[in-house]
Amino acid sequence: MTTSAPPVPRIPEAVHRRRWAILGVLMLSLLIVVLDNSILNVAVKTISTPAPTGLGATQSELEWAINAYTLVFAGLLFSAGLLGDRLGRKKVLLGGLVVFGAGSALAAFAGSPGELIGFRAVMGLGAAFVMPATLAVLMNVFERDEQPKAIGIWAGGVGLAIAIGPITGGVLLDHFWWGSVFLVNVPIVLLALALMIWLVPDSRDPNPGRVDPVGVTLSVVGLVLLVYGIIRGGELADFTDVTVLGTIAAGLAVLVAFVVFEKRSDHPSIDVGYFRDKVFSAAIAAIALVFFALMGVTFFSVFYTQSVRGYSPLETGLLLLPLAAAQLVFAPRARLLVDRFGNRATTTAGMALIAAMLAAFATLDADTPIWILEVIFFLMGTGMAHIMTPVSVVIMQSLPREKAGSASALSNTFRQVGGALGIAVLGSVLSTSYRSSIEGDLGAVPPGLRHTAGESIESTLAVAARLGPDAKPLIAQANESFLHAMHVTALGGAAVAVIGAVVVALFLPGRTQDPK
């Protein structure tokens, strides 16, 4: 009688033995990429303060400081994934970390909002080479049966970064100048580089695709035009303006040209054929929609806690802890619910929970007990954890292992595009609602400052500081107008999350698919 031999492991034994240490190094690399945005969220109010405390950035400039990073990040992710598949993921990781560290150091000493936006774009360039490579390396050091657990821990690392970022940012802003929130990245980059050289193995796709410079250019130009038009419309509080409509239309036209070019190309940067799989498309849409809603809400919640409620940056960081803690606790365990109830039920429940918590923001006012905000943040983090882990597993296991860089890049591209559009669209809704609410109460403001004063609550408060005793009614009205704008924006985010819940309920599988 013969017995069948056990399956031969696809991972070399030397790599298999140190797989958890490698995961730790990958999470450190991921940490700085996510940490940067979570730190910046706490710092936006300080950066919007006039010099010498900040840079005097307007709300639209703050949106661009965030989106310059995310748009470059999103636009180059797929090509970065392909370069990693071709040149070796370790090499691309190391190069991305060096560029990210250099951009961080330059951003720390930016002398104007324009310089900050430019250096944030450099950071996005480096991050684009880091993010897909971390997940691609993970898929090549863990056997398939351990991949869901490893991806869950990887997703939990996002929660850790969200926790550490605001608190770190708050501590730094309490003791140092605003640029310290970027300079802190440099020592983390140096540590990650040393550990990566020592521990992480290199891997590549034996049949990599060719880089697609035309596709990359079209995608970046199209996204920048679209986002610029949306942000400009919010700045003017007029989406019927010819320049706004023209820019948005041009962006959409370039993105359509991008899709047409990709379908006809023999080496597309995004293989449109992947999206014929409804499960894959629904998983990608879920990631984009949840980050659309969450990034927009995170942007305005900082102004709520600091400008309206009067909390310091450090206190704001601590208030965000429940959001991060929930992700950290539940992301690695979400697979247990998937095993019991399936992807569809778990992810739909997560999206529905996020939609409910976004709607709950519309009930907050200037003196709502702060524990209610903490409960909302905790439940938002819980919902996000039960979306990101199962959806990431579905995406990564939809494509063959050697295409891990492409799958990771697609996932992260749509996450960043969703986040960038969330900040642009919901930020513009916030700006438009705020301006329309505050305009009738700017009579005490000098005529030359009224347009500036109406752009955001920070702009109004900066102008009010010059008015002396006459400022009290204006400050009260600024708070009331902001709360109205926040309520409108939160309900918009909730509507987007409901759409996400419908998409995953219709198209995600009830149970984990059989391996392909």
Side-chain angles (χ1 to χ4, degrees):
M1 180 178 173
T2 58
T3 57
S4 58
V8 178
R10 291 184 288 179
I11 309 298
E13 179 59 28
V15 173
H16 183 73
R17 280 198 307 267
R18 64 176 191 268
R19 65 196 185 284
W20 297 109
I22 293 169
L23 177 59
V25 178
L26 296 177
M27 286 178 64
L28 182 63
S29 304
L30 175 72
L31 184 76
I32 58 169
V33 173
V34 179
L35 183 82
D36 180 71
N37 266 343
S38 60
I39 282 183
L40 184 59
N41 284 334
V42 174
V44 288
K45 181 180 182 294
T46 305
I47 294 172
S48 69
T49 305
T53 303
L55 291 175
T58 65
Q59 183 161 308
S60 59
E61 286 170 336
L62 289 174
E63 291 175 37
W64 274 114
I66 297 172
N67 281 338
Y69 178 86
T70 53
L71 287 175
V72 172
F73 193 173
L76 296 179
L77 267 171
F78 208 85
S79 288
L82 286 174
L83 282 174
D85 291 343
R86 174 183 288 273
L87 303 176
R89 284 120 187 184
K90 180 176 180 177
K91 296 183 185 70
V92 164
L93 257 174
L94 293 171
L97 283 171
V98 169
V99 173
F100 183 87
S104 298
L106 290 168
F109 297 100
S112 66
E115 285 185 14
L116 179 61
I117 291 167
F119 295 140
R120 288 276 296 161
V122 174
M123 294 170 68
L125 172 64
F129 287 86
V130 173
M131 178 72 93
T134 60
L135 201 46
V137 170
L138 181 155
M139 298 298 286
N140 280 274
V141 299
F142 284 91
E143 296 290 352
R144 191 177 184 92
D145 61 337
E146 283 190 319
Q147 286 173 4
K149 181 179 180 182
I151 290 174
I153 295 171
W154 181 89
V158 175
L160 180 64
I162 292 173
I164 293 172
I167 296 170
T168 305
V171 171
L172 290 170
L173 291 171
D174 273 3
H175 295 90
F176 304 102
W177 92 116
W178 64 266
S180 61
V181 301
F182 298 111
L183 199 60
V184 72
N185 291 332
V186 176
I188 303 174
V189 165
L190 294 174
L191 176 61
L193 285 170
L195 291 173
M196 197 168 295
I197 291 169
W198 177 35
L199 284 171
V200 175
D202 208 353
S203 62
R204 66 184 72 202
D205 184 348
N207 299 297
R210 285 190 287 155
V211 178
D212 174 25
V214 176
V216 171
T217 303
L218 287 173
S219 65
V220 173
V221 170
L223 284 170
V224 169
L225 286 172
L226 176 62
V227 171
Y228 176 80
I230 293 168
I231 291 176
R232 183 63 177 160
E235 191 177 8
L236 297 174
D238 181 10
F239 282 88
T240 63
D241 183 86
V242 175
T243 57
V244 172
L245 289 175
T247 308
I248 292 174
L252 291 172
V254 173
L255 290 175
V256 169
F258 165 72
V259 173
V260 172
F261 180 83
E262 296 300 282
K263 288 180 72 173
R264 295 179 177 177
S265 174
D266 60 356
H267 58 288
S269 61
I270 291 181
D271 189 340
V272 183
Y274 294 151
F275 293 92
R276 295 192 187 101
D277 183 336
K278 291 181 180 178
V279 171
F280 182 84
S281 296
I284 288 288
I287 281 183
L289 291 172
V290 75
F291 270 82
F292 179 100
L294 281 172
M295 289 295 286
V297 168
T298 304
F299 184 75
F300 71 63
S301 66
V302 171
F303 288 100
Y304 170 70
T305 54
Q306 293 188 40
S307 299
V308 176
R309 301 300 297 262
Y311 289 101
S312 70
L314 176 56
E315 289 168 335
T316 298
L318 293 170
L319 289 174
L320 287 169
L321 262 180
L323 175 69
Q327 288 190 65
L328 192 60
V329 170
F330 291 116
R333 294 170 175 79
R335 62 191 173 84
L336 301 176
L337 280 183
V338 172
D339 291 343
R340 183 168 181 180
F341 300 108
N343 283 302
R344 181 189 300 133
T346 303
T347 309
T348 303
M351 286 295 254
L353 183 58
I354 284 181
M357 291 308 102
L358 290 172
F361 265 95
T363 68
L364 301 179
D365 56 35
D367 53 6
T368 299
I370 204 65
W371 66 264
I372 294 177
L373 179 65
E374 297 299 88
V375 171
I376 291 172
F377 278 147
F378 182 80
L379 292 176
M380 284 180 73
T382 303
M384 190 173 181
H386 289 93
I387 297 167
M388 294 309 299
T389 298
V391 163
S392 296
V393 172
V394 167
I395 292 169
M396 294 307 295
Q397 294 191 343
S398 293
L399 301 182
R401 177 195 293 263
E402 59 272 14
K403 299 296 183 185
S406 299
S408 172
L410 268 173
S411 170
N412 286 295
T413 295
F414 280 84
R415 179 186 345 214
Q416 296 300 324
V417 169
L421 288 175
I423 291 168
V425 173
L426 296 182
S428 293
V429 170
L430 187 74
S431 294
T432 303
S433 300
Y434 181 80
R435 185 182 290 280
S436 63
S437 181
I438 195 72
E439 268 183 335
D441 297 279
L442 297 177
V445 176
L449 293 175
R450 285 176 191 169
H451 182 84
T452 300
E455 188 175 68
S456 68
I457 185 171
E458 277 306 302
S459 300
T460 306
L461 295 178
V463 171
R466 307 181 190 179
L467 300 180
D470 297 332
K472 281 189 177 180
L474 181 58
I475 292 171
Q477 187 57 42
N479 288 339
E480 187 176 325
S481 297
F482 178 83
L483 287 169
H484 167 74
M486 183 181 81
H487 294 163
V488 171
T489 308
L491 291 174
V496 171
V498 168
I499 293 170
V502 172
V503 169
V504 296
L506 289 175
F507 297 113
L508 279 194
R511 297 284 172 187
T512 304
Q513 289 182 300
D514 294 329
K516 290 186 178 181

